[in-house]
Amino acid sequence: MSEELKSCPFCGDTHKLDVTDNDPRELLLNNWVTCSNCNSEGPVKPTRSQAITAWNTRAGEKV
């Protein structure tokens, strides 16, 4: 599975994307992708890989 992020489906930026997660000491780890250009966020997922997959699936859609 690729860890490469597709461009933001809202603004098209490819350089200001980041995968965010909670403090690992938390009981539930929440991971999501954020675009710091337009402040959009992908869905929250339990793993980094799932967050990237969800973002890339959304990024493939036309908005």
Side-chain angles (χ1 to χ4, degrees):
M1 180 181 307
S2 174
E3 291 287 311
E4 183 176 334
L5 292 167
K6 292 185 180 179
S7 62
C8 178
F10 301 102
C11 71
D13 197 295
T14 58
H15 303 292
K16 295 184 179 181
L17 302 174
D18 189 35
V19 181
T20 306
D21 59 21
N22 286 354
D23 187 324
R25 295 169 290 187
E26 299 271 338
L27 292 177
L28 297 174
L29 294 178
N30 295 314
N31 298 266
W32 64 93
V33 177
T34 304
C35 174
S36 61
N37 186 54
C38 71
N39 297 319
S40 63
E41 294 181 342
V44 175
K45 297 293 180 181
T47 68
R48 175 185 175 90
S49 179
Q50 289 174 331
I52 291 171
T53 298
W55 176 267
N56 286 344
T57 301
R58 178 70 176 138
E61 298 176 4
K62 299 279 186 200
V63 177

